[in-house]
Amino acid sequence: MIPFIVVYVIFQLIPLISTIYNSFFENYMSGLTQVGPNFVGLANYKKLFSDGDIWIYTKNTMLLWIMCFIPQIILSLVLGAWFSDVRLRLKGTRFFKTVVYLPNLIMASAFSMLFFTLFSDGGPINSMLMQIGFIDTPYKFLSNAGSARGLIALMNCLMWFGNTTILLMAGMMGIDTSLFEAAEVDGATSSQVFWQITLPLLRPILVYVVITSLIGGLQLFDVPQILTNGTGDPMRSTMTLIMFLNKHLYSKNYGMAGALSVVLFIITGILSLVVFKITGNDKRKG
């Protein structure tokens, strides 16, 4: 256990303690002058919540995660059920599994640049829509809050639904096949088998997927950062908590960055606990 403990202490425990420690200090650059570090107690936390920006960015982050996760989990469940259903006898399943997972291997920066080019004012999407007469003038996808959020959610869904599909398929293939055989003998339809057998037995892996997706959603950074050049436009509607944190780090305001990191850690813990409570996975059999 020594290698794991050493790696954990150096790369996780020490940075965590350092972040909490720095959150109680005033430590930033004012022009060319270094201010601090000076102990200020909870002043950074008070300033963080009094400004009000954190609530806007929390709402943006959660909205983007929900817009991404709902279609992602539906698509993954459908694909997982198809590929793991032996009665369908689908051909070329290995090839399609590889194709489904491939977007997960593409870097977020490449995805962002691709979508930026496709949906720019003079990009192929606008040109195609104008040619078929759907619009008369180029639609500014990145200048409208709804379309900008939709593009970010679409990109994250495309990048991660393959990984989610593989996880759900692994859970489905771990279910005892005798249950499906018994259901088939009893005359159960495919939808009844899915809702009454597959989904209830898949709950543990579903909880894992929700928790990991939630953590990833709260840490959403690369796609909106590159797509909006770090501005969070339009009207800060795509600014996430990690982008807000990055602005403090870029300006070397380590005290505020530390406070925001601690708040983000607490939010993640609370939401994860809520998921466990809702699903009932926190209960232990005596």
Side-chain angles (χ1 to χ4, degrees):
M1 293 180 63
I2 291 178
F4 167 78
I5 294 174
V6 171
V7 171
Y8 174 79
V9 169
I10 294 175
F11 293 102
Q12 294 192 28
L13 187 60
I14 292 178
L16 177 62
I17 296 174
S18 176
T19 300
I20 298 174
Y21 175 80
N22 287 324
S23 69
F24 298 110
F25 285 80
E26 179 185 52
N27 187 6
Y28 63 93
M29 292 290 294
S30 178
L32 298 177
T33 305
Q34 173 67 39
V35 178
N38 302 316
F39 182 77
V40 292
L42 298 175
N44 288 326
Y45 294 93
K46 292 178 181 178
K47 183 179 179 181
L48 192 63
F49 287 102
S50 62
D51 289 346
D53 288 341
I54 189 172
W55 304 115
I56 298 174
Y57 303 146
T58 301
K59 184 192 74 173
N60 291 343
T61 304
M62 293 305 300
L63 184 60
L64 288 172
W65 174 69
I66 291 171
M67 291 174 64
C68 167
F69 181 73
I70 291 177
Q72 174 186 326
I73 195 66
I74 293 174
L75 182 59
S76 297
L77 281 171
V78 171
L79 291 175
W82 281 350
F83 289 141
S84 60
D85 192 342
V86 293
R87 293 178 297 178
L88 294 178
R89 298 179 180 177
L90 297 176
K91 296 182 180 180
T93 54
R94 291 185 179 180
F95 170 76
F96 287 110
K97 289 175 187 177
T98 304
V99 171
V100 164
Y101 189 75
L102 277 178
N104 190 245
L105 304 178
I106 301 176
M107 293 179 62
S109 56
F111 242 117
S112 300
M113 292 305 298
L114 174 63
F115 270 67
F116 182 83
T117 303
L118 288 174
F119 291 91
S120 62
D121 295 349
I125 300 298
N126 267 316
S127 299
M128 182 176 64
L129 292 176
M130 291 175 66
Q131 286 177 1
I132 62 177
F134 192 77
I135 56 175
D136 297 325
T137 57
Y139 182 78
K140 298 183 181 296
F141 286 96
L142 300 178
S143 299
N144 293 277
S147 56
R149 286 170 172 169
L151 287 178
I152 293 171
L154 176 61
M155 275 186 281
N156 277 282
C157 181
L158 291 176
M159 287 173 59
W160 290 103
F161 85 95
N163 182 68
T164 305
T165 302
I166 297 299
L167 289 172
L168 293 179
M169 283 177 57
M172 291 176 183
M173 289 187 291
I175 299 174
D176 190 353
T177 56
S178 63
L179 296 174
F180 299 114
E181 294 170 356
E184 187 176 3
V185 171
D186 291 339
T189 62
S190 297
S191 59
Q192 288 175 329
V193 170
F194 177 78
W195 289 106
Q196 303 298 328
I197 298 177
T198 304
L199 207 55
L201 294 177
L202 204 60
R203 190 176 68 175
I205 194 69
L206 276 174
V207 173
Y208 172 79
V209 168
V210 173
I211 294 292
T212 53
S213 178
L214 175 62
I215 294 173
L218 290 173
Q219 296 177 352
L220 180 62
F221 170 72
D222 41 14
V223 170
Q225 174 74 14
I226 297 171
L227 196 66
T228 66
N229 198 24
T231 60
D233 289 335
M235 301 290 290
R236 299 186 300 172
S237 60
T238 59
M239 177 73 73
T240 64
L241 287 171
I242 297 296
M243 290 173 69
F244 186 39
L245 172 62
N246 184 64
K247 284 186 174 293
H248 287 305
L249 292 174
Y250 185 77
S251 61
K252 300 186 184 301
N253 193 338
Y254 300 119
M256 287 295 293
L260 181 55
S261 298
V262 173
V263 170
L264 187 59
F265 175 76
I266 294 172
I267 292 174
T268 304
I270 291 174
L271 292 177
S272 300
L273 183 61
V274 168
V275 171
F276 271 93
K277 288 288 185 181
I278 292 175
T279 58
N281 272 38
D282 61 322
K283 297 177 182 178
R284 298 290 182 266
K285 295 181 180 180

